[in-house]
Amino acid sequence: MSRPELTGHASLFYNEKEARKYDSSSRMVGIQREITERAIELLKLPSNRPSFILDVGCGSGLSGQVLEEHGHVWVGCDVSRDMLNMANERIERKREEAMGEGDSSEDDNDMNDNDSNNDNNKGGTTEEEPSPGDLLHHDMGTGLPFRPASFDACISISALQWLCYSNTKEQIPKKRLTRFFSSLYQVLRRGARAVLQFYPESSEHAILISECAAKVGFAGGIVVDYPNSTKAKKHYLVLSFERSYKAPQGLTGLEGALLNEGRSSGGGVRVA
């Protein structure tokens, strides 16, 4: 089976039919959940409060759903409108379910709540809970269009490798990757981390991605889980602002390639 990145632009590959197929596959849903759980683990987010997380290449919202289950608020961007339509359907269903649950319990609580609401809301209004997820149609290769220092963390599941391919002569992978990482560096708050899971076609692609991240100032490296398994092998680019940060070991004990080592030695980034 050929790689989808070789068939053309992601927005064309993930059309309505492919988006629904992707979102309804129990196998794909399970894989995306497992990868997202691992990404959250590698982020090492504070456990005492929710984080505001950017999901790059959010697709149909499968990863965003996992973020919500962990209590976080997220913003997702994707180049495929059809994938975003699926994600929006998921968000709307959740909102409707939440409203339905609220309506069913409202009658039971009316008598108890009326007095307390009258006391608590004198001179004020009732605050609504923020939406757990918002969506943006956007090509990450053109840079991220968010305000500086907006996010506590960033994840990306199975999307970053698309920037290693060129669909037109204007699309130069190195420039698109550099533009993406430069903007990511800006929109993350200092102290934040990013975990970007991707499927490199070759070691050259992994090195290119790592070098572009290092060039804009990120520290960290590539964590490889299950390196000896054809099906289970996963690559995670783990990024930090801390100059002394070292990428954690993979699940089998394989150490991540350090971006810092690549810069200091002048011999490129070591990718296992």
Side-chain angles (χ1 to χ4, degrees), residues 54-70:
L54 174 62
D55 186 352
V56 179
C58 64
S60 63
L62 296 175
S63 47
Q65 183 176 354
V66 179
L67 291 174
E68 292 174 25
E69 292 171 3
H70 282 262

Side-chain angles (χ1 to χ4, degrees), residues 14 20 22 57 86 108-109 118 144 156 171 190 217 221 224 247 250 257:
Y14 288 111
R20 292 197 177 278
Y22 183 98
M86 295 297 300
D108 295 337
N109 296 329
N118 289 335
L144 300 170
S156 180
Q171 289 186 348
R190 293 304 173 263
V224 183

Side-chain angles (χ1 to χ4, degrees), residues 248-267:
Q249 294 183 340
L251 291 182
T252 60
L254 182 67
E255 293 184 354
L258 299 184
L259 299 186
N260 289 337
E261 291 182 359
R263 285 197 299 270
S264 62
S265 64

Side-chain angles (χ1 to χ4, degrees), residues 119-231:
D119 292 338
N120 294 334
N121 292 333
K122 288 179 180 178
T125 59
T126 302
E127 293 185 359
E128 295 183 359
E129 291 187 6
S131 171
D134 288 305
L135 305 170
L136 173 70
H137 178 240
H138 187 73
D139 179 0
M140 62 180 173
T142 63
L144 300 170
F146 303 103
R147 293 180 179 179
S150 293
F151 299 97
D152 298 315
C154 172
I155 67 166
S156 180
I157 309 299
S158 310
L160 185 59
Q161 71 273 1
W162 283 90
L163 295 185
C164 293
Y165 299 84
S166 176
N167 296 295
T168 66
K169 62 181 181 180
E170 289 81 17
Q171 289 186 348
I172 301 173
K174 186 173 182 179
K175 287 186 177 181
R176 283 168 59 78
L177 282 164
T178 300
R179 194 177 297 122
F180 165 68
F181 283 119
S182 179
S183 62
L184 179 62
Y185 195 92
Q186 294 298 318
V187 303
L188 289 177
R189 293 169 182 157
R190 293 304 173 263
R193 289 180 183 171
V195 176
L196 316 174
Q197 181 271 330
F198 65 104
Y199 293 103
E201 183 178 10
S202 63
S203 59
E204 287 76 15
H205 280 182
I207 291 172
L208 175 63
I209 288 172
S210 298
E211 288 181 337
C212 289
K215 183 178 180 180
V216 304
F218 278 117
I222 295 177
V223 175
V224 183
D225 285 349
Y226 310 113
N228 298 319
S229 171
T230 303
K231 292 185 177 181

